[in-house]
Each structure stands twice: as structure tokens, then as C-alpha cells.
């Protein structure tokens, strides 16, 4: 079989305006970025305000493994298959970060015959939104450090005399804003900035990967440019010497940050290999951020299509939990059905059992034990009141016996149905049964519910979510987290949803606990206010908000050939 | 009069394909980025390889002052006026950096009725080239620090066993590559990275503004994508423990860096207010980098137009010197004429005389004394064998008497001619006389020459350039610079042109020395190899390669209104 980028290169693309027409978008509502990408103007949303909304399908997965479960493949494959059975459909996915593209994966456009194309444009700059987030985030950091520097060097009175601006009296010990970079760069995890003479206040700081920026979450959660502008001003950058928040609005930088993101607020329209519309917008990771593409893309797609397939990052404990408890709370768009992706390999790996056998080989013991993980995720999704269809992403080495065993097993569960997906190898034809079952599931009466009430006291809310959403006995706060909790309560900023940050490789906070861990206590190391995004990030265990490059990073394979084609992305 | 952004907003733009047609570019050679911007494919250059070349006009200026001389206004104005008198013309300018946009100036698109439009698109992301440079530069930094980390923690043998890659044995004391950010962020001038556990080798480092990145110079100096790819591989990131260069190619990251810049290598086509074509490409600053837009944009424009107007940053000692000694050496395109921009205000400010009078008021003493600066620049440009036309950028407060005095004075100089430009207030009509004189100057026989031979021993070359190009008595190397000189000679990497980095506010290295300083000795603090760009950067005096934000930065004025329009750029 051809590589992903070869398949992408060989595809005959439709003009992006033709893709827009499939969604009944007008030509002047699209801003072309080359022949295969276009920004969608938000004016489309105003025009469509009274159009009926389609059904939202959310794709999630079992606990991920290093083998890859093919969640994006299934998302794009399902979209293609829904189109193939005659539905008006769109996919809504996240923009890939350069971190994983050059680090681990080499790409995040789906794969095989279920891809968004051109995959190299999706995987690199797309239409520049992540760059805009990086630039706007770091502008706030430069502005904050500079203001502290000038106020400190001049004193509040002279500063006012020279500028007409009231001093903010930023507490140098309470700088809450760091910088971001869209790379896997471990050397930036912990840094000291402001060293040397006249370079400002020297202090320890850090860079997160841009996917973890609060601005990325704001981009993903805003409902309009005006909403984005307001959220931009609510960001708390630091505390002042009286312990009160210093916001982006107080610093006078929120308008400029919004200007930097004024184009990024428009979702980007692309197409799948079968010419189905795909909206790409925002890229928060699901382990260290809230893990879902934008509300604005969903809103446009739901007004234009009968089915909208979107994807939540990692397992259902991670991206899907935050999809429900954070994104749906903002959007009001409850999903009509969920698709839970698994593979035989993933279940074997999730069994936690040692084995002599290759993970691709038939292995009754590991498969049967590993099934518990799938069942946990079925139950987890079900508790939100969402009908769940299990999609088995088939690999060439899978045996019919094991696939049948799994299908039979799922029949006994709470799942609405279970289908095999062969989208990777067969494109739109490989997922028609899955598409039919998803359509049926979406017709069922469902009653979506959140897992917790945001008005609860913060520690109660934390315990409730840890128990109901992650199977924990409860949480234990570090001294630092406890102090942050007290500060959030004192400032009356604690009535927000929670954005759990943890390893994706286990339902628990400990990547070594496979299958269905239970009875564990989650160590909460930090609580980070995201007042603009509207949530509190909860760091569970040793969470890195900046990945590192491995021993043999994907960048080693990537190059540009003599004809200007990018090679080595996969 | 309206503000710049108001004028830009009110302009009726031509479709960018129509602008391309003025240059006889084919529609399929343009990649649209919205209605008003397009990337130009490099295939156009292949098609046009045998077309005759137009004449290249380079715009430079007297020693700059805080009042602004209007060099970009004159560049765009001259382009508009050349078009108005019936010439086929294009402007080639640099992409503005977000640093000055949010720091000092609020924009760099020209001004008044001599602007490139839409100015807010030019001033913010354009088509993402600067973001691509930032991303590619920082990818190399992450890759280098990560490789050092993995080799150190495993040892060379285990590293090889696990990866199949030969150890590079990077000397942790000889890391030559830093990181970049496209902001004015003083806190990043001096940093420590790699702190904490398992985050790599902790070391002091710095961020430059992206405009000073070697990759920005490579983008500006490459003649093709293949040339860019080769230069990408020649970059020296560090020395190994034997003192030998560790390059991007050896690290295996040059291909991925090129992939990141594969779109950026295409110049962006825009238009002036009068619908004249403007190619925007690369953005090196002229104080801390080589200060000129790209060779690729010039090459395309010269094949498509009879006159190409480009601009070299700051005074003729800075951008113009490097235009001649670095850019022309690579491109082979000697300029047919130079335009030297001055204002009455600039000459008064360059007089160095204290005065009770406002700088806009008539002031014979300051004007007559300050004239010496203009004369120095006329002589400086003339010594390269380029005919020079002085353009007096008129301000409303200028008196006819002073303007006439200046014109008469220039008549006695080596200048080919002198004209008043009113492009700011009058657009294309304001510079027709200047355009006619420039056309006449470009018809004269001229014999372009470089100021030094790159094959000279490095210290001799330095002294020759300091004397001939900057009026210095000579240079004095710091111990650090002397050690670097020895290293460059030992590695046989010293036969390159020089990229002088210094304050733009004086012909000398000392911003306080106004007018025509002479007899000074330039302290050379550092010599930085740019093996990919193909020059050695010479840091003269206290040079900051990362600007800072001032007391009242421009970002304070910038916002987005309810209709999504960006406000406050000027």
C-alpha cells in the first residue's frame, strides 16, 4: 500500500469552492488560501442563524496505546461513509501541532484512504492559526514583563507621569503567565528569563507547547469574534501586590492580541479524499488541554450539514469527558451519538498482561482481559446519556475469530451497536455499515447530562469528577494546589468547569496502571486558572505541558524533493 | 487627513490576479491568499528565465531620526509615480515584523497615499513567512538540545545502538544556535534553558528577534528552493568536542526545516493604493541583519517589469552597504540608480546642534550643519558607482525657502539630481518629477563596484569596510571576537562577506555621534558565522539583537471593532 503522503499527493482534489457548495456556503463566504483551503467567514453563521441544526457525532476511543487506534482515520472514514450513503455531512477536526509532526507521529490528517488532504498543508502551517495563537500568547508575556520592568525601574509615580497609565503593581512573585512554542522542546520546560542588565525582572518561567495555551482554548470555545475579544480581556496574567488579578485588559494588550487572532477565528475548510467537507479549527491537546476542535466550526457545520462528525482527543476519560463537561456546556450542542474506536491490538495492550506473542497475533488471554478497558469506556460514555457505537478499526493481521468474539461481547454491553471499520484500506466503502449504525443510534431518544455541577465547592467538584469520570477513590491536593484553591475561592473564581490534565495512557493518573484501575487516589499537583477560557486546569501527577523529542524524531525523515514536494510525512 | 489604516480601508482594491496580469504573471502561477494577496510560484521564474531584465532602483536614506524619514513612503510613492508616467513597475519590500508593529511604529506599509494595502494584512501575518522562519529556526534549537541530551544521557555507544545514528559529540560549551521570537521581548535577551530534571543540558542562551535569524537571511538570499535547501544544511549550530562544526545536515534536521519554509520561499504579491504591484518577501532588519528584501522577489520582478523599486533599511551606511556588498554579490543584479531619501527635519536632527526651535520650524543653522550628513550619504552611495537621486520627502510644515536651499545645495554635490516627493499627501501625483529624474539617472552609464574583496584576511577586510563604508579609523576586536576570528580562520570559514550590526542612529557605532563622525575606532564585540546565509555578522558596540517594548508601546492602541476591523495600526 502507498504511504499516506503518496496517497494524498495522488488525489484529485475538488476546488475548495465546490466543497463549500456541498455545505451551501456562498463563494463570498470563503477566503481562499490556495486551491485546497479556505477560511470560512463568520458572517456565514449570521446568515444561517435560523437554519435547523444537524446531528453531532463525537468520536472517542479506548485508552490509547503506542500502536495507534486510528481515531482520526475513523472520524474521516465515517464522514466519507456517511457521504457515501447519501447524507449531507462534514467533519470537524483539530489542527495538528508541529510538535508531534516533527516529534512522534509525522502527521495527524487521518491515514490511508481516510485522510484530509492535502495532508502536508494540514500538518504544517494550514492557514496559520497556531502561529497566531503563539504570537498572541507571547505578546502578552512580553507586555507583562516589560510593564513590570518599567514600573519597577521608574516607580509608580514617575511611571504615571511619563505615560498617563496607572501602575499595575505586579507582584514579581505572582507572574502566572508563561510563554509558548509549537514544538516539542524539553529545554524550554524550565527556564530563567530576564537575565542580564536592564532586561527586566529575572525569574523562573517555562514554555508550554502552544496546544496547551489558554488562547488555544479560547479560540476553541469562543462563539463569536466579540466573545473572543471579551475572553481575551479576562485572562489573568499575574496578581498584584495586593493579591488582586492583573488581566490582559488592565495591561491594555487584549485588543492587540485579538487583532493577532482576527483571522484565526475563522475555521478552515478542507476536504477528505472522497471530497467530503472537513472543517479544521483550533488544536488543544487532550492530555494537557481540553482536547476538542472549535465550537465555531461545529456551529457552522451543524447549520450546513445533517451530520457533523467530530473527534475528542485520546480516550473517553480525556477528550470526551472534556467535550461533555467543558465544550458542550459552552456550546449547548449535545451529541446525538458517540463512536468509540478500538482495535484488537489496543485491547491486548490494555490487558496489562505480559506475553511472548506479538501484539498483532491472535491472543485469547490478552484480548479477553483487555476487553474490560473497552467496557469501561462504553459505560463511561453511556453515563452522559449518549448512545455509543463501538467501531473496531480493522488491521490486516486481525483474525475473523477475534473480531467476531469482540462483536459478540459488545452485544452484551450497554453499547447501541458495534461495527468493523475498514476506512484506512477501503476509504468510503470501508465504513458504510458503521455509518448506517451511527445514523440509527443518532435517531434514539437520549438525555445528555453533565457529570458535575460547576457551582459545587471546588474540592467537592474535583472529587466528584475524579470518581465519576476517572474511577478514582478521590483526589489529594498538594500544598501548592491547596494554596491555589484557597486563592481561587478568595477571588470568587472557582465556579468554573475543570480541565483535567494527566497521562492519556491510563484511565488513572499513572501510565503504568493498565486496563481498568480503581481505588486509586489522584495527586493534584496544581490548579491553574484559565479565566478567559473559562475553566480551571487540574494537573494530576507528573504532567508535562511541554513534550520532548525522542531518540529518533520524525523530523529525520522529512525533506523537500527537487520538485518542491514535501516527503516523509506519514 | 485620514489615518493610514482609514485610507487603506477605504481603498478599492483590484483583484490580485489583475495585479499579476500587470506583471504578465499567469493565473496558475499565483496562489491566492484571500482576494488581495497571492504567493507567486517559483515556476514563474523558470518560465521567464530568458526574459530581459528591467532596471533595479534601490531606495536608501540619510541617517535616520526618531521623526521618520519616509523611506517606505518614498519607495511606494516612486513605484506609484513610475506607473503613473507609463512605466511597467513593481516594488519589492520586506515583510514587517510584529516587534515594531506592536512596539514602536504600529506598521510598516508606507503611509498616507503611498501604502501597500491592505495594510493590516501586510503588518500582521501576511502569508505566514515570518512565522515559518520562527518555526524552522526553533525546530533546529529543539533538535540540537534534544540530541545533546540523549547522547549525554546514553553515551555515544548506547546512543548508536539504539538509533543507528553516529554520535555528534556536541560540545555543551560551544552551542552557537539560539532561539527566535517575532516580538520585542527584552526578558528573552538573556535566558537559561534546560533547567530542572531530565530537561537537557542547562545553559545560558538567548532569543533574537526573528528578523535577525540566519534563516531570514537565507530566505532573502536564496536563488531557488534547491539553493535554500543546501543553505539550510550548511548552518553551523555548534562545535563538537574536537572543535569541528556540527551542522543542520549532520543533525538531520535541514530537510524538515526546509519543509517548514517550503511555502515561505514564494514571494507574496500585493498592491499599492494606486494598483501597482508590490512583492513582499523576507524581513531582515538593517541594524542587526542584512536589511534587504529577497533576491527571489527581485528576480521575478526584474523579469516582469521595466523598473523595480526596492528598499534597503535605515541609512546608506547600513542597509545600502549590505545591499551592495552582500545581496548584489549573491544576485548579480547591480542597481541602475539609487534614491536617497531625506527630510528637512532629519537634517536638522542630524546636525547635532541644540536649539530652542521645534524641529519642524525653519532653522538655518541646524539645516546647514545637518546637510553634511546628506552629503556623506551621497558620497557613500556614489563610491559604489551608482548614480544617486536625492528625494526630499516633503512635510506640511516645510518652507519653500529651506526646500530650495537644499535643492541648490544638492546641485553642487555628486548627486545626479534632487526632487521633492509629496507621495504621502498626493499619492502617485506627488512623485512624478522624482520618477522622471530616476528614469534619467537609470539611463546613465554606471560601473557598480563592491567595497571589499571577500578573499582578504578577515581583519583586513573588517578594517577596509569600517574605513570605506563607515568612515572609521579602524576596528578593535574584543578578546571574544579575536578568538572567534581565529576559529573562523582555522575552519577556513572566513572568506565571506561581512554583515555589520550596529546602531542605525549614527554612521558610527555610537548613537550619540551625529552628523558625520570620523576618526573613531569601532569596537567589534563579536563575530558570528552564518555559514548558510553566507556571511559573518560583525557586532559593533552594544548591539541588541532583541529589541524591548518602550513605555507606551503601540499595542496599547490596537484593537478589533465590532465589525471585525482592526483599528489603531498606523
Amino acid at each position: 500500500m502507498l504511504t499516506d503522503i503518496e496517497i494524498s499527493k495522488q488525489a484529485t482534489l475538488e476546488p475548495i469552492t465546490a466543497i463549500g457548495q456541498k455545505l451551501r456556503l456562498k463563494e463570498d463566504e470563503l477566503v481562499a488560501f490556495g486551491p485546497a483551503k479556505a477560511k470560512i467567514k463568520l458572517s456565514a453563521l449570521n446568515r444561517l442563524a435560523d437554519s435547523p441544526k444537524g446531528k453531532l457525532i463525537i468520536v472517542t476511543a479506548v485508552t490509547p496505546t503506542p500502536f495507534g487506534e486510528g481515531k482520526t482515520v475513523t472520524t474521516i472514514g465515517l464522514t466519507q461513509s456517511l457521504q457515501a450513503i447519501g447524507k449531507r455531512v462534514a467533519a470537524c477536526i483539530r489542527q495538528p501541532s508541529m510538535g508531534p509532526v516533527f516529534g512522534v507521529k509525522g502527521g495527524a490528517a487521518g491515514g490511508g484512504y481516510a485522510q484530509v488532504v492535502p495532508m502536508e498543508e494540514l500538518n504544517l502551517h494550514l492557514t496559520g492559526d497556531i502561529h497566531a495563537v503563539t504570537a498572541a500568547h507571547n505578546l502578552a508575556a512580553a507586555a507583562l514583563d516589560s510593564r513590570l520592568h518599567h514600573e519597577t525601574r521608574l516607580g509608580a509615580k514617575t511611571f504615571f507621569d511619563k505615560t498617563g497609565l496607572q501602575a499595575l503593581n505586579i507582584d514579581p512573585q505572582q507572574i502566572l503567565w508563561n510563554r509558548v512554542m509549537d514544538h516539542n522542546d524539553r529545554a524550554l520546560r524550565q527556564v530563567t528569563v530576564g537575565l542580564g542588565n536592564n532586561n527586566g525582572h529575572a525569574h523562573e518561567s517555562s514554555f508550554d507547547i502552544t496546544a496547551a495555551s489558554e488562547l488555544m482554548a479560547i479560540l476553541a470555545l469562543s462563539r463569536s469574534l466579540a466573545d473572543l475579544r471579551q475572553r481575551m480581556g479576562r485572562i489573568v496574567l499575574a496578581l498584584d501586590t495586593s493579591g488582586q488579578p492583573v488581566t490582559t485588559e488592565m495591561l491594555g494588550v487584549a485588543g492587540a492580541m485579538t487583532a493577532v487572532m482576527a483571522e484565526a477565528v475563522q475555521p478552515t475548510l478542507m476536504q477528505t479524499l472522497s471530497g467530503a467537507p472537513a472543517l479544521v479549527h483550533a488544536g488543544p491537546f487532550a492530555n494537557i488541554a481540553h482536547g476538542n476542535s472549535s465550537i465555531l466550526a461545529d456551529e457552522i457545520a451543524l447549520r450546513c450539514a445533517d451530520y457533523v462528525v467530530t473527534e475528542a482527543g485520546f480516550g473517553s476519560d480525556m477528550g470526551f469527558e472534556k467535550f461533555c463537561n467543558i465544550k458542550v456546556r459552552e456550546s449547548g450542542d449535545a451529541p446525538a451519538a458517540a463512536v468509540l474506536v478500538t482495535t484488537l491490538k489496543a485491547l491486548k495492550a490494555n490487558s496489562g498482561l505480559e506475553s511472548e506473542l506479538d501484539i498483532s497475533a491472535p491472543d485469547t488471554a490478552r484480548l479477553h482481559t483487555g476487553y474490560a478497558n473497552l467496557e469501561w469506556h462504553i459505560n463511561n460514555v453511556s453515563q452522559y446519556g449518549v448512545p455509543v457505537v463501538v467501531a473496531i478499526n480493522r488491521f490486516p493481521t486481525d483474525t475473523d475469530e477475534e473480531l467476531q468474539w469482540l462483536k459478540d461481547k459488545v452485544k452484551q454491553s450497554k453499547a447501541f451497536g458495534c461495527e468493523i471499520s475498514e476506512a484506512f484500506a477501503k476509504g468510503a466503502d470501508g465504513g458504510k455499515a458503521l455509518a448506517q449504525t451511527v445514523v440509527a443510534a443518532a435517531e434514539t431518544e437520549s438525555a445528555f447530562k453533565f457529570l458535575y455541577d460547576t457551582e459545587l465547592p471546588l474540592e467537592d467538584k474535583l472529587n466528584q469528577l475524579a470518581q465519576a469520570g476517572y474511577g478514582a477513590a478521590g483526589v489529594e491536593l498538594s500544598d501548592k494546589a491547596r494554596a491555589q484553591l484557597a486563592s481561587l475561592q478568595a477571588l470568587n473564581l472557582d465556579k468554573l468547569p475543570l480541565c483535567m490534565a494527566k497521562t492519556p495512557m491510563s484511565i488513572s493518573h499513572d501510565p503504568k496502571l493498565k486496563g481498568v484501575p480503581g481505588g486509586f487516589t489522584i495527586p493534584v499537583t496544581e490548579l491553574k486558572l484559565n479565566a478567559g477560557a473559562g475553566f480551571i486546569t487540574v494537573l494530576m501527577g507528573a504532567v508535562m505541558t511541554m513534550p520532548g523529542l525522542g531518540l529518533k524524531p520524525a523530523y529525520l525523515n522529512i525533506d523537500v524533493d527537487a520538485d518542491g514536494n514535501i516527503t516523509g510525512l506519514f
Side-chain angles (χ1 to χ4, degrees), chain A residues 1-8 10 73 110-115 273 394-396 422-427:
Chain A
M1 191 165 154
L2 299 173
T3 65
D4 291 354
I5 195 164
E6 286 166 348
I7 293 170
S8 172
Q10 290 184 3
V73 166
Y113 291 94
Q115 290 190 60
L273 279 170
R394 182 174 195 157
F395 277 69
E422 299 184 274
F424 187 90
K426 300 182 181 172

Side-chain angles (χ1 to χ4, degrees), chain A residues 41-347:
Chain A
K41 291 185 192 168
L42 298 188
S43 59
L45 207 47
N46 301 333
R47 176 175 64 82
L48 295 162
D50 298 326
S51 300
K53 280 189 176 181
K55 289 177 189 293
L56 186 60
I57 313 297
I58 177 78
V59 178
T60 179
V62 295
T63 301
T65 70
F67 310 106
E69 285 60 57
K71 197 160 55 209
T72 307
V73 166
T74 306
T75 302
I76 303 306
L78 174 60
T79 304
Q80 296 187 145
S81 297
L82 283 164
Q83 187 188 43
I85 65 168
K87 304 297 181 188
R88 192 186 298 272
V89 62
C92 287
I93 63 167
R94 288 172 290 163
Q95 181 185 354
S97 156
M98 284 197 190
V101 166
F102 293 119
V104 190
K105 295 197 286 184
Y113 291 94
Q115 290 190 60
V116 175
V117 287
M119 70 90 95
E120 71 276 21
E121 295 185 20
L122 176 68
N123 280 313
L124 292 173
H125 308 284
L126 193 67
T127 51
D129 297 351
I130 294 182
H131 293 315
V133 170
T134 305
H137 185 118
N138 293 333
L139 175 61
L144 183 72
D145 275 337
S146 175
R147 182 70 171 256
L148 173 59
H149 168 67
H150 289 305
E151 285 191 22
T152 306
R153 121 189 126 72
L154 295 173
K157 184 171 177 323
T158 309
F159 180 80
F160 175 78
D161 291 345
K162 281 179 180 270
T163 64
L165 301 167
Q166 292 294 340
L168 295 174
N169 301 310
I170 300 154
D171 181 348
Q173 306 303 318
Q174 293 289 341
I175 295 174
L176 306 175
W177 195 248
N178 62 1
R179 289 173 177 79
V180 295
M181 176 89 78
D182 188 35
H183 280 308
N184 290 3
D185 192 347
R186 84 179 67 234
L188 295 181
R189 283 176 185 158
Q190 197 177 327
V191 300
T192 308
V193 301
L195 295 169
N197 289 326
N198 202 35
N199 294 339
H201 167 69
H203 61 97
E204 275 224 351
S205 189
S206 64
F207 283 69
D208 288 343
I209 192 160
T210 304
S213 166
E214 179 171 357
L215 301 197
M216 186 61 90
I218 290 175
L219 179 64
L221 293 169
S222 291
R223 297 179 59 89
S224 65
L225 182 61
D227 182 21
L228 179 115
R229 174 64 186 84
Q230 286 183 6
R231 289 167 183 268
M232 280 295 191
R234 288 203 296 264
I235 296 166
V236 177
L237 299 173
L239 301 182
D240 69 15
T241 48
S242 315
Q244 293 302 304
V246 175
T247 66
T248 33
E249 204 67 76
M250 293 160 71
L251 188 59
V253 74
M257 291 166 70
T258 308
V260 173
M261 289 180 59
E263 276 189 6
V265 79
Q266 301 169 338
T268 299
L269 181 65
M270 294 185 76
Q271 63 192 284
T272 74
L273 279 170
S274 73
L279 282 70
V280 188
H281 205 208
F285 288 173
N287 53 343
I288 54 178
H290 82 286
N292 285 274
S293 57
S294 84
I295 288 176
L296 278 166
D298 285 2
E299 288 297 308
I300 293 171
L302 285 168
R303 298 288 182 190
C304 296
D306 300 323
Y307 291 87
V308 174
V309 185
T310 187
E311 178 189 10
F314 293 122
S316 83
D317 52 315
M318 296 249 64
F320 177 80
E321 183 269 297
K322 293 180 273 200
F323 171 82
C324 294
N325 291 312
I326 296 175
K327 186 176 174 182
V328 176
R329 222 184 281 262
E330 294 283 344
S331 70
D333 291 319
V339 173
L340 180 57
V341 179
T342 188
T343 63
L344 294 181
K345 275 197 266 195
L347 295 187

